[in-house]
């Protein structure tokens, strides 16, 4: 579905929804008004008829004259008259509507207001007592109420139609106001999915729509930053691979062309093996990093004695450091330090940090592997006597390839992925890793805090 189709659908939905709500409101209001109009019309006719009865009741001679001549106030309203004499006798054309209860009420000085049937039709009945005793009664056909009701109901139709029309227009305006920023957001999302970057959505409309626009703008910035890092990483990978490949190819061609012969062949073979090992190591680091970033990365959690694990790692690294004339030291509790974690991954983390330290530590300087308890977990440290890290280095220490690019040709560097792998491993184990620029030994200082296993261990990480 295109953005335009989406907008049309949203607009129609909002217009239909607002129109339906308005229609229900108008219909309910109209129904209530429809019923109320009948009541109001009858009340108005009764009030008018009662006033007429009261006026005539105040002039008994006029009423008697009308009655004696057997006249009827008919005219267009068809009003009928009945006179209740002080003796209780009832005279007049409308005498049939005056029952005993109405007569007694008038004789007692009370007004009468009721409905009755006269000449086969329903009529309104209003009576008022006369000053001399008795009373006067007027009747009016119910058709007068029907006519007034029809007039009032007729005048109600136009406002109802205008209300529905106004609701539809308001719905259309609301739909446009809501749909426009949503359509812009959808178009921006499509452009982002197609690879466009640097596009922004205006933060307009209601708060929720503005929040959506802000989220898309943030996504655009994050994608731009992430892809920039990926390009830099790809360039770094290309550079790292190109050098050993070029060397290996040169020696391979020299051997194939018999440029290298005799006693030079073993040396060429050693160089080829070294370059291939470099490639193998680099590819291994890339695969390790890819596995760590995978959502299905697996941890085998068990009870691990960190003290024993550090002792085992120390034996291996003492031998390697001795081969480089580096003074390896270990600091550990010397008693079991049990936590629930993945021992294999912890050893992988120690090896990565130790290898990084050994690479930059000159002969005669120390590398220290330290362990101590920290709450329910353990605190691992790897310190070295190398050149250390500056404040700027610490900010990018765990960004893949950042330090390798910065110090290539200045100090020994590896694939540039070792510290990034350590950062991922620490996070996967539910812990944290921090870097400091100056250890007591003079070089870099890496600290890993390992908690006992918890639900946070497999929380996905954000790439540094």
């Amino acid at each position: 579905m295109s953005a335009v189709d989406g907008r049309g659908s949203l607009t129609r939905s909002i217009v239909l929804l607002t129109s339906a709500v308005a229609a229900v409101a108008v219909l309910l209001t109209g129904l209530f008004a429809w019923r109320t109009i009948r009541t109001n019309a009858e009340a108005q006719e009764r009030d008018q008829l009662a006033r007429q009865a009261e006026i005539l009741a105040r002039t008994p001679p006029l009423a008697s004259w009308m009655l004696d001549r057997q006249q009827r106030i008919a005219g267009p309203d068809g009003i009928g008259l009945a006179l209740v004499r002080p003796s209780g006798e009832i005279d007049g054309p409308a005498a049939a509507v005056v029952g005993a209860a109405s007569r007694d009420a008038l004789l007692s000085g009370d007004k009468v207001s009721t409905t009755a049937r006269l000449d086969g039709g329903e009529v309104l009945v209003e009576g008022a007592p006369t000053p001399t005793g008795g009373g006067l009664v007027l009747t009016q056909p119910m058709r007068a109420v029907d006519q007034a009701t029809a007039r009032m109901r007729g005048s109600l139709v136009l406002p109802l139609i205008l209300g529905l029309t106004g609701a539809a227009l308001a719905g259309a305006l609301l739909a446009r106001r809501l749909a426009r920023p949503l359509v812009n957001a959808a178009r921006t999302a499509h452009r982002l999915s197609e690879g466009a970057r640097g596009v922004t959505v205006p933060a307009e409309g209601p708060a929720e729509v503005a929040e959506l626009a802000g989220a898309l703008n943030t996504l655009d910035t994050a994608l731009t930053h992430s892809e920039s890092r990926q390009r830099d990483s790809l360039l770094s990978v290309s550079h790292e691979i190109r050098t050993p490949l070029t060397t290996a190819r040169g020696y391979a061609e020299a051997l194939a062309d018999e440029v290298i012969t005799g006693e030079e062949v073993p040396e060429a073979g050693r160089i080829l093996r070294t370059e291939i090992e470099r490639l193998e190591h680099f590819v291994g680091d890339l695969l390790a990093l890819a596995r760590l970033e995978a959502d299905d990365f697996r941890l085998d959690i068990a009870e691990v004695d960190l003290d024993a694990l550090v002792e085992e790692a120390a034996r291996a690294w003492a031998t390697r450091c001795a081969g480089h004339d580096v003074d390896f030291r270990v600091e550990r509790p010397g008693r079991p330090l049990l936590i629930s974690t993945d021992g294999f991954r912890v050893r992988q983390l120690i090896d990565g940090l130790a290898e990084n330290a050994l690479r930059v530590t000159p002969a005669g300087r120390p590398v220290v592997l330290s362990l101590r308890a920290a709450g329910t977990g353990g605190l691992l440290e790897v310190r070295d006597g190398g050149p250390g890290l500056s404040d700027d280095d610490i900010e990018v220490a765990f960004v893949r390839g950042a330090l390798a690019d910065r110090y290539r040709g200045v100090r020994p560097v590896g694939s540039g992925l070792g510290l990034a792998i350590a950062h991922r491993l620490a996070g996967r184990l539910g812990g944290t890793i921090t870097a400091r620029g100056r250890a007591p030994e003079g070089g870099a200082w890496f600290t890993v805090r390992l908690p006992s296993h918890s639900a946070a261990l497999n929380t996905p990480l954000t790439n540094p």
Side-chain angles (χ1 to χ4, degrees):
M1 180 182 292
S2 67
V4 174
D5 293 337
R7 179 177 61 182
S9 175
L10 178 62
T11 302
R12 285 194 299 271
S13 298
I14 295 176
V15 171
L16 289 175
L17 178 61
T18 53
S19 299
V21 171
V24 171
V26 168
L27 289 175
L28 289 176
T29 302
L31 180 62
F32 177 77
W34 197 266
R35 296 175 64 86
T36 304
I37 284 173
R38 173 74 183 186
T39 303
N40 290 340
E42 182 175 337
Q44 290 178 6
E45 294 297 327
R46 281 189 181 278
D47 184 62
Q48 183 176 355
L49 189 63
R51 285 199 300 268
Q52 292 177 12
E54 192 171 350
I55 292 172
L56 289 175
R58 292 173 184 172
T59 56
L62 176 62
S64 299
W65 176 78
M66 291 180 177
L67 190 60
D68 290 341
R69 293 179 61 85
Q70 294 291 305
Q71 289 186 351
R72 187 174 186 178
I73 309 174
D77 294 330
I79 295 176
L81 183 146
L83 185 64
V84 178
R85 301 185 183 278
S87 62
E89 182 181 354
I90 304 172
D91 296 323
V97 302
V98 183
S102 298
R103 180 195 62 192
D104 293 342
L106 291 170
L107 291 174
S108 301
D110 299 327
K111 294 181 180 181
V112 172
S113 179
T114 185
T115 303
R117 297 193 67 82
L118 180 65
D119 298 333
E122 194 173 15
V123 294
L124 298 176
V125 178
E126 294 293 329
T130 59
T132 58
L136 183 135
V137 175
L138 292 181
T139 64
Q140 184 176 18
M142 192 64 74
R143 66 173 178 273
V145 175
D146 296 337
Q147 292 170 355
T149 300
R151 288 194 302 271
M152 297 172 108
R153 286 176 175 174
S155 64
L156 183 66
V157 174
L158 181 60
L160 291 178
I161 294 175
L162 291 177
L164 287 174
T165 303
L169 292 176
L173 293 175
L174 177 62
R176 183 176 180 182
R177 184 171 184 266
L178 289 177
R180 184 175 60 235
L182 288 176
V183 169
N184 291 335
R187 287 173 177 168
T188 299
H190 284 302
R191 292 183 63 189
L192 289 175
S193 68
E194 293 167 357
R197 298 293 178 263
V199 293
T200 58
V201 185
E204 59 182 359
E208 293 80 2
V209 178
E211 183 177 357
L212 172 61
L216 284 174
N217 293 336
T218 302
L219 175 62
D220 174 62
T221 302
L223 287 174
T224 301
H225 181 61
S226 175
E227 291 174 357
S228 176
R229 273 207 322 260
Q230 290 177 3
R231 283 193 297 270
D232 293 342
S233 178
L234 182 58
L235 290 174
S236 177
V237 169
S238 301
H239 178 80
E240 291 290 339
I241 292 178
R242 185 181 295 113
T243 300
L245 278 179
T246 301
T247 302
R249 180 176 180 175
Y251 275 92
E253 290 177 350
L255 288 170
D257 295 339
E258 297 183 353
V259 174
I260 298 176
T261 58
E263 296 179 354
E264 297 176 340
V265 172
E267 179 63 21
R270 283 192 294 272
I271 294 174
L272 280 172
R273 183 178 62 188
T274 300
E275 297 304 319
I276 290 172
E277 287 176 351
R278 284 182 60 192
L279 278 173
E280 193 175 50
H281 179 73
F282 187 75
V283 171
D285 284 349
L286 284 175
L287 290 175
L289 195 58
R291 293 191 191 100
L292 284 166
E293 292 176 345
D295 291 336
D296 59 352
F297 181 77
R298 178 181 173 182
L299 290 174
D300 295 321
I301 303 300
E303 191 173 64
V304 176
D305 183 356
L306 289 183
D307 184 73
L309 189 147
V310 167
E311 181 185 17
E312 178 185 347
R315 286 197 297 267
W317 283 100
T319 302
R320 288 192 59 180
C321 287
H324 292 78
D325 197 22
V326 169
D327 180 19
F328 181 81
R329 305 171 191 171
V330 62
E331 300 170 354
R332 60 188 183 87
R335 63 180 182 277
L337 178 54
L338 302 177
I339 69 169
S340 294
T341 188
D342 187 329
F344 175 80
R345 298 301 180 185
V346 174
R347 176 60 190 273
Q348 183 182 357
L349 179 56
I350 292 173
D351 290 344
L353 292 175
E355 183 173 359
N356 179 75
L358 178 59
R359 182 169 50 250
V360 298
T361 302
R365 301 295 296 166
V367 168
V368 179
L369 173 60
S370 171
L371 169 69
R372 63 178 184 272
T376 58
L379 199 67
L380 285 168
E381 291 181 351
V382 175
R383 309 190 299 267
D384 63 65
L389 300 172
S390 67
D391 291 340
D392 291 339
D393 293 339
I394 293 174
E395 291 183 3
V396 296
F398 303 110
V399 177
R400 65 182 75 175
L403 295 182
D405 293 340
R406 181 173 294 182
Y407 289 108
R408 185 174 286 110
V410 177
R411 66 175 69 162
V413 295
S415 65
L417 302 177
L419 292 179
I421 292 174
H423 181 271
R424 302 301 196 288
L425 269 174
R428 288 295 191 178
L429 291 168
T432 59
I433 182 171
T434 57
R436 280 180 276 183
R438 283 290 179 264
E441 292 73 19
W445 185 354
F446 292 93
T447 303
V448 179
R449 187 176 297 274
L450 289 174
S452 193
H453 178 62
S454 66
L457 291 185
N458 288 310
T459 301
L461 299 176
T462 301
N463 292 340

